Amino acid sequence: MRFRAVKGMNDILPDEMERWHRLEGAFRRAVGLHGYQEARVPVVEPTGLFVRSIGETTDVVDKEMYTFERHSESLTLRPEGTAGTVRAYVEHAIHAREPVTRWYYIGPMFRAERPQRGRYRQFYQAGCELFGDPGPTADAEMIDMLHGLFRGLGIPELCVAINSMGGPETRTRYQAELLEYFRARASSLSEHARGRLEANPLRILDSKDPRDIQASEEAPRLVDYLTHEDRDHWDNLLQALGSLGVPYQVDPRLVRGLDYYTRTLFEVRSDFGQVGSQNALGGGGRYDGLVAELGGPSVPAIGFALGLERILLALPEKRPDPEPFCFLAPVGPAAQKTALRLAREIRRLGQRAELDGRGRSLKAMLRRADALGARLVAVIGDAELDRDVVAIKDLALHAQQEVPTANVPAHVVQKLSLARAESRPPPPPPSGELG
Ligand code: AMP
């Protein structure tokens, strides 16, 4: 019996992992420099948490959740990271410990969407949540952090789109206007948009259907309905982004999929070849009402999530040199015992060592070392065993040297450190831009 992975859920194998680690490392460094700390919350939450926070009439809750029942409780695989993070923030009364909290997470999310390039049913997000700061300075700083991260990664054709939803008052007034506008054009909308018109006209702006895009062309703009306070927040955000030199575009159609957003919304896009129609690499926004909605005090918050698969698709291929390591090639059982001890010793000193214990010929082992990209090979044959030495080959320099067995670990560590220092690029400038 053979099994296949669930449709839309991918295996990520070791040869792709280097790029994943590079991306996650750049993310952790960038957000760490801004004071974000990692939080890990469960992948499964009570279904009601997502319904309440994301919103009943959204695509995610309406059609895409993996929901099941266990011990008479309805549970859901998280479709996004904010709801669980806010649940944890409230549950542990973090607001009572500190006025401002910066958390980040990295992990898998689950949405039963139609799989295509850049759109999967299990996918990874890295995200940040900032609690306790009403902005707009914090909003600008977060958008600048994101932009810096993407720039540092070398992602081409970057665009930062922003918009403002305003607060509840703005939303109510705007929603009424929008409803009227779309009602008058109901016949030119897609069936799906027509179905959701009364419940959630805002979401039509988000539709990718060409009929809806055309029907939205002259729709009223959110930013024209902002209250005085909302407008102040928005103007200050634009000024702060301007003073930071972040290139942004105001996108009046940007409403984003989830219901909890208030005021600032943003999305980072790249049209760089491979991503195609799935060009949103990440996005987020302010959600000043959500902490209270989930039973906490009134704490303003803002956050974003990045789609790691999409970023990897947009990331230009650039394979760094492999980390130098030592391959041990023992010929015969006695040599294998020596090699086992030496490999353990080298690893204790903090260096990678790989041992071929399959009893193959020296020629075959050297081929294997080469295929793995080893820098050093420690050859232990009968001749070496007799004289209590090991032949250390440097595959890059095409050099060989005999070393007394007892000195091998220290010798290998020194050679590998030198090799690493030679291949290391100069340290990055202390600007905080990371690659
Ligand atoms: P969202 O939580 O919908 O705002 O999405 C944030 C980011 O996650 C998007 O910009 C995408 O990069 C990524 N993303 C969302 N849905 C998927 C999916 N089904 N497959 C892959 N990436 C996704």
Side-chain angles (χ1 to χ4, degrees):
M1 188 67 189
R2 285 167 67 110
F3 294 96
R4 296 177 65 92
V6 175
K7 191 170 171 215
M9 303 200 180
N10 301 312
D11 299 313
I12 306 164
L13 301 180
D15 59 351
E16 300 163 68
M17 212 33 99
E18 188 278 324
R19 302 181 84 224
W20 282 81
H21 284 168
R22 195 146 47 92
L23 174 56
E24 290 170 7
F27 173 79
R28 286 180 200 275
R29 278 197 303 280
V31 304
L33 286 175
H34 289 77
Y36 286 84
Q37 295 181 308
E38 183 170 7
R40 294 191 191 182
V41 301
V43 167
V44 176
E45 297 278 358
T47 303
L49 171 66
F50 300 117
V51 177
R52 190 69 187 249
S53 51
I54 299 172
E56 211 145 357
T57 56
T58 57
D59 282 352
V60 171
V61 168
D62 193 27
K63 310 189 283 210
E64 296 168 1
M65 295 209 296
Y66 284 95
T67 296
F68 58 99
E69 198 172 300
R70 182 67 74 215
H71 306 128
S72 349
E73 190 181 8
S74 179
L75 303 175
T76 293
L77 297 183
R78 64 179 181 194
E80 54 92 58
T82 300
T85 308
V86 174
R87 197 255 323 124
Y89 178 85
V90 171
E91 184 166 339
H92 301 281
I94 306 298
H95 65 91
R97 294 191 212 165
E98 53 192 25
V100 173
T101 299
R102 291 185 172 86
W103 283 355
Y104 79 85
Y105 59 83
I106 301 182
M109 307 295 158
F110 303 84
R111 294 183 197 173
E113 297 192 82
R114 195 167 56 78
Q116 52 187 290
R117 188 174 178 76
R119 182 182 290 278
Y120 312 104
R121 292 181 171 169
Q122 171 172 339
F123 59 98
Y124 285 77
Q125 285 189 339
C128 285
E129 314 292 353
L130 164 56
F131 299 95
D133 189 326
T137 305
D139 308 30
E141 191 178 36
M142 181 173 271
I143 293 168
D144 182 48
M145 172 172 85
L146 257 189
H147 179 253
L149 170 69
F150 282 113
R151 271 259 313 270
L153 285 167
I155 293 189
E157 298 172 41
L158 261 190
C159 163
V160 182
I162 58 172
N163 194 19
S164 176
M165 295 278 293
E169 191 188 328
T170 297
R171 196 174 175 137
T172 310
R173 277 197 306 142
Y174 178 68
Q175 207 145 322
E177 288 289 323
L178 199 61
L179 187 59
E180 208 153 294
Y181 171 88
F182 280 127
R183 270 186 189 149
R185 290 162 182 77
S187 58
S188 37
L189 293 174
S190 68
E191 302 77 55
H192 187 232
R194 226 173 300 143
R196 65 165 38 154
L197 173 58
E198 299 295 323
N200 195 346
L202 264 175
R203 305 301 323 286
I204 299 174
L205 297 179
D206 219 14
S207 165
K208 299 273 186 289
D209 191 298
R211 287 168 291 177
D212 301 334
I213 293 179
Q214 203 184 353
S216 310
E217 224 137 66
E218 284 168 18
R221 294 156 35 108
L222 256 167
V223 289
D224 296 329
Y225 289 78
L226 299 179
T227 60
H228 185 68
E229 292 79 28
D230 291 338
R231 153 94 27 213
D232 220 33
H233 195 277
W234 173 243
D235 289 341
N236 275 304
L237 170 63
L238 298 190
Q239 282 163 20
L241 289 176
S243 83
L244 285 166
V246 176
Y248 62 83
Q249 269 175 7
V250 176
D251 178 355
R253 282 178 47 90
L254 177 66
V255 292
R256 295 185 49 74
L258 321 177
D259 264 1
Y260 49 62
Y261 289 118
T262 51
R263 293 191 166 164
T264 311
L265 290 175
F266 52 95
E267 194 161 89
V268 180
R269 302 168 184 156
S270 166
D271 282 325
F272 184 61
Q274 311 179 55
V275 189
S277 60
Q278 312 299 323
N279 70 349
L281 304 180
R286 181 158 279 289
Y287 51 92
D288 288 342
L290 187 58
V291 176
E293 180 76 24
L294 297 181
S298 168
V299 174
I302 181 168
F304 67 83
L306 310 179
L308 298 190
E309 286 89 348
R310 294 229 189 130
I311 298 174
L312 288 171
L313 285 171
L315 208 56
E317 187 61 60
K318 146 180 109 185
R319 268 193 174 277
D321 294 336
E323 280 283 293
F325 74 97
C326 181
F327 187 90
L328 292 97
V331 184
Q336 284 171 1
K337 310 283 181 310
T338 304
L340 267 176
R341 282 201 314 278
L342 288 175
R344 188 175 66 183
E345 205 48 47
I346 292 167
R347 293 180 198 123
R348 271 199 188 139
L349 295 171
Q351 299 291 336
R352 173 175 157 200
E354 276 200 45
L355 163 60
D356 194 333
R358 295 177 297 168
R360 305 174 76 217
S361 72
L362 180 58
K363 204 165 141 200
M365 288 192 284
L366 288 176
R367 263 205 310 272
R368 177 80 188 133
D370 203 41
L372 284 175
R375 172 69 189 248
L376 302 179
V377 186
V379 176
I380 317 174
D382 290 339
E384 283 83 16
L385 270 185
D386 282 349
R387 287 182 293 124
D388 201 16
V389 297
V390 173
I392 305 286
K393 283 177 179 293
D394 186 322
L395 296 190
L397 300 180
H398 305 289
Q400 178 165 332
Q401 186 178 358
E402 274 190 356
V403 177
T405 307
N407 298 348
V408 166
H411 178 87
V412 164
V413 168
Q414 192 197 8
K415 287 263 173 195
L416 293 180
S417 308
L418 266 177
R420 194 165 292 121
E422 280 161 12
S423 66
R424 182 145 296 167
S431 68
E433 285 213 353
L434 297 157

Short mmCIF file of all heavy atoms in Angstrom, two decimals, residues 80 111 113 118-121 123 125 256 258 261 280-283 305-307 309-310, ligand 1:
data_model
loop_
_atom_site.label_atom_id
_atom_site.label_comp_id
_atom_site.label_asym_id
_atom_site.label_seq_id
_atom_site.Cartn_x
_atom_site.Cartn_y
_atom_site.Cartn_z
N GLU A 80 -4.81 31.02 10.34
CA GLU A 80 -3.91 32.18 10.43
C GLU A 80 -3.43 32.29 11.87
O GLU A 80 -3.91 31.56 12.74
CB GLU A 80 -4.62 33.46 9.96
CG GLU A 80 -5.93 33.76 10.66
CD GLU A 80 -5.76 34.65 11.86
OE1 GLU A 80 -5.26 35.76 11.71
OE2 GLU A 80 -6.16 34.23 12.98
N ARG A 111 -5.63 26.09 5.18
CA ARG A 111 -6.84 26.61 4.54
C ARG A 111 -7.21 25.69 3.38
O ARG A 111 -6.35 25.39 2.53
CB ARG A 111 -6.62 28.03 3.98
CG ARG A 111 -6.38 29.06 5.07
CD ARG A 111 -6.23 30.45 4.49
NE ARG A 111 -5.62 31.33 5.49
CZ ARG A 111 -5.23 32.56 5.26
NH1 ARG A 111 -5.39 33.10 4.07
NH2 ARG A 111 -4.68 33.28 6.22
N GLU A 113 -8.16 25.78 0.43
CA GLU A 113 -8.33 26.57 -0.79
C GLU A 113 -8.02 25.68 -1.99
O GLU A 113 -7.49 24.59 -1.85
CB GLU A 113 -7.33 27.74 -0.80
CG GLU A 113 -7.55 28.71 0.33
CD GLU A 113 -6.75 29.97 0.13
OE1 GLU A 113 -7.23 30.84 -0.61
OE2 GLU A 113 -5.67 30.10 0.72
N GLY A 118 1.90 28.73 -5.42
CA GLY A 118 1.87 29.80 -4.42
C GLY A 118 0.63 29.78 -3.53
O GLY A 118 0.44 30.67 -2.71
N ARG A 119 -0.23 28.79 -3.70
CA ARG A 119 -1.43 28.68 -2.87
C ARG A 119 -1.60 27.23 -2.45
O ARG A 119 -1.80 26.36 -3.29
CB ARG A 119 -2.65 29.16 -3.63
CG ARG A 119 -3.94 29.15 -2.82
CD ARG A 119 -5.11 29.60 -3.66
NE ARG A 119 -5.05 31.02 -3.98
CZ ARG A 119 -5.45 31.99 -3.16
NH1 ARG A 119 -5.97 31.68 -2.00
NH2 ARG A 119 -5.35 33.24 -3.52
N TYR A 120 -1.50 26.97 -1.17
CA TYR A 120 -1.49 25.60 -0.68
C TYR A 120 -2.49 25.45 0.45
O TYR A 120 -3.03 26.43 0.97
CB TYR A 120 -0.07 25.22 -0.21
CG TYR A 120 0.97 25.59 -1.22
CD1 TYR A 120 1.80 26.70 -1.02
CD2 TYR A 120 1.08 24.87 -2.41
CE1 TYR A 120 2.73 27.08 -1.99
CE2 TYR A 120 2.00 25.24 -3.38
CZ TYR A 120 2.82 26.34 -3.17
OH TYR A 120 3.72 26.73 -4.12
N ARG A 121 -2.73 24.19 0.84
CA ARG A 121 -3.68 23.94 1.93
C ARG A 121 -2.98 23.89 3.28
O ARG A 121 -3.57 24.18 4.30
CB ARG A 121 -4.47 22.67 1.63
CG ARG A 121 -5.38 22.92 0.44
CD ARG A 121 -6.22 21.73 0.09
NE ARG A 121 -7.20 22.13 -0.92
CZ ARG A 121 -7.96 21.29 -1.60
NH1 ARG A 121 -7.86 19.99 -1.37
NH2 ARG A 121 -8.83 21.75 -2.47
N PHE A 123 0.42 25.78 4.58
CA PHE A 123 1.48 26.70 4.18
C PHE A 123 2.03 27.34 5.44
O PHE A 123 1.43 27.26 6.50
CB PHE A 123 0.95 27.76 3.19
CG PHE A 123 -0.18 28.59 3.75
CD1 PHE A 123 0.05 29.85 4.30
CD2 PHE A 123 -1.48 28.10 3.76
CE1 PHE A 123 -0.97 30.61 4.82
CE2 PHE A 123 -2.52 28.85 4.30
CZ PHE A 123 -2.27 30.10 4.83
N GLN A 125 3.54 30.53 7.66
CA GLN A 125 3.57 31.98 7.84
C GLN A 125 4.55 32.35 8.94
O GLN A 125 4.70 31.62 9.92
CB GLN A 125 2.19 32.51 8.22
CG GLN A 125 1.21 32.56 7.06
CD GLN A 125 -0.08 33.28 7.41
OE1 GLN A 125 -0.42 33.41 8.59
NE2 GLN A 125 -0.81 33.73 6.40
N ARG A 256 -8.31 43.56 2.38
CA ARG A 256 -7.80 42.32 3.00
C ARG A 256 -8.92 41.45 3.57
O ARG A 256 -9.97 41.91 3.95
CB ARG A 256 -6.73 42.61 4.03
CG ARG A 256 -5.50 43.23 3.35
CD ARG A 256 -4.35 43.44 4.27
NE ARG A 256 -4.06 42.28 5.07
CZ ARG A 256 -3.48 41.18 4.62
NH1 ARG A 256 -3.10 41.11 3.38
NH2 ARG A 256 -3.27 40.17 5.41
N LEU A 258 -9.72 39.54 6.21
CA LEU A 258 -10.24 39.21 7.53
C LEU A 258 -10.97 40.41 8.12
O LEU A 258 -10.63 41.55 7.86
CB LEU A 258 -9.09 38.76 8.43
CG LEU A 258 -8.04 37.88 7.72
CD1 LEU A 258 -6.90 37.53 8.66
CD2 LEU A 258 -8.64 36.61 7.15
N TYR A 261 -9.74 43.94 10.98
CA TYR A 261 -8.86 45.10 10.78
C TYR A 261 -9.54 46.44 11.05
O TYR A 261 -10.73 46.62 10.79
CB TYR A 261 -8.30 45.09 9.37
CG TYR A 261 -7.29 44.00 9.15
CD1 TYR A 261 -7.50 43.00 8.22
CD2 TYR A 261 -6.11 43.95 9.91
CE1 TYR A 261 -6.57 41.99 8.03
CE2 TYR A 261 -5.19 42.94 9.74
CZ TYR A 261 -5.42 41.97 8.79
OH TYR A 261 -4.51 40.97 8.60
N ALA A 280 0.87 38.56 -3.53
CA ALA A 280 0.97 39.10 -2.17
C ALA A 280 1.90 38.23 -1.35
O ALA A 280 1.64 37.05 -1.13
CB ALA A 280 -0.40 39.15 -1.52
N LEU A 281 3.01 38.82 -0.93
CA LEU A 281 3.98 38.05 -0.15
C LEU A 281 3.64 38.09 1.33
O LEU A 281 4.00 37.21 2.10
CB LEU A 281 5.38 38.63 -0.35
CG LEU A 281 5.86 38.71 -1.79
CD1 LEU A 281 7.26 39.30 -1.84
CD2 LEU A 281 5.86 37.33 -2.42
N GLY A 282 2.94 39.14 1.72
CA GLY A 282 2.59 39.25 3.13
C GLY A 282 1.76 40.50 3.33
O GLY A 282 1.70 41.37 2.46
N GLY A 283 1.08 40.54 4.45
CA GLY A 283 0.28 41.72 4.70
C GLY A 283 -0.23 41.71 6.12
O GLY A 283 -0.09 40.72 6.85
N ALA A 305 1.44 39.03 8.63
CA ALA A 305 1.91 37.67 8.39
C ALA A 305 2.49 37.58 6.99
O ALA A 305 1.98 38.19 6.05
CB ALA A 305 0.75 36.68 8.52
N LEU A 306 3.59 36.85 6.88
CA LEU A 306 4.25 36.65 5.59
C LEU A 306 4.05 35.21 5.16
O LEU A 306 4.13 34.30 5.97
CB LEU A 306 5.76 36.89 5.72
CG LEU A 306 6.18 38.18 6.41
CD1 LEU A 306 7.69 38.25 6.48
CD2 LEU A 306 5.62 39.35 5.62
N GLY A 307 3.82 35.00 3.87
CA GLY A 307 3.71 33.64 3.35
C GLY A 307 5.10 33.16 2.93
O GLY A 307 5.66 33.66 1.96
N GLU A 309 6.27 30.30 1.62
CA GLU A 309 6.41 29.67 0.29
C GLU A 309 6.44 30.73 -0.80
O GLU A 309 7.23 30.66 -1.74
CB GLU A 309 5.25 28.71 0.00
CG GLU A 309 5.30 27.40 0.77
CD GLU A 309 4.61 27.48 2.12
OE1 GLU A 309 4.30 28.60 2.56
OE2 GLU A 309 4.40 26.42 2.73
N ARG A 310 5.56 31.72 -0.67
CA ARG A 310 5.50 32.76 -1.72
C ARG A 310 6.79 33.55 -1.77
O ARG A 310 7.25 33.93 -2.83
CB ARG A 310 4.36 33.72 -1.43
CG ARG A 310 3.05 33.02 -1.55
CD ARG A 310 2.08 33.78 -2.40
NE ARG A 310 0.80 33.12 -2.25
CZ ARG A 310 -0.32 33.73 -1.97
NH1 ARG A 310 -0.32 35.04 -1.83
NH2 ARG A 310 -1.43 33.06 -1.84
P1 AMP B 1 -3.45 36.42 5.00
O1 AMP B 1 -3.34 35.70 6.32
O2 AMP B 1 -4.54 35.89 4.12
O3 AMP B 1 -3.42 37.88 5.12
O4 AMP B 1 -2.13 36.01 4.20
C1 AMP B 1 -0.86 36.50 4.52
C2 AMP B 1 0.12 35.90 3.55
O5 AMP B 1 0.12 34.49 3.67
C3 AMP B 1 -0.26 36.13 2.10
O6 AMP B 1 0.24 37.35 1.64
C4 AMP B 1 0.42 34.98 1.40
O7 AMP B 1 1.77 35.27 1.18
C5 AMP B 1 0.32 33.88 2.42
N1 AMP B 1 -0.78 32.96 2.12
C6 AMP B 1 -2.11 33.12 2.38
N2 AMP B 1 -2.82 32.06 1.97
C7 AMP B 1 -1.94 31.20 1.44
C8 AMP B 1 -2.04 29.90 0.85
N3 AMP B 1 -3.19 29.26 0.75
N4 AMP B 1 -0.91 29.31 0.40
C9 AMP B 1 0.28 29.93 0.51
N5 AMP B 1 0.45 31.14 1.06
C10 AMP B 1 -0.63 31.77 1.52
#
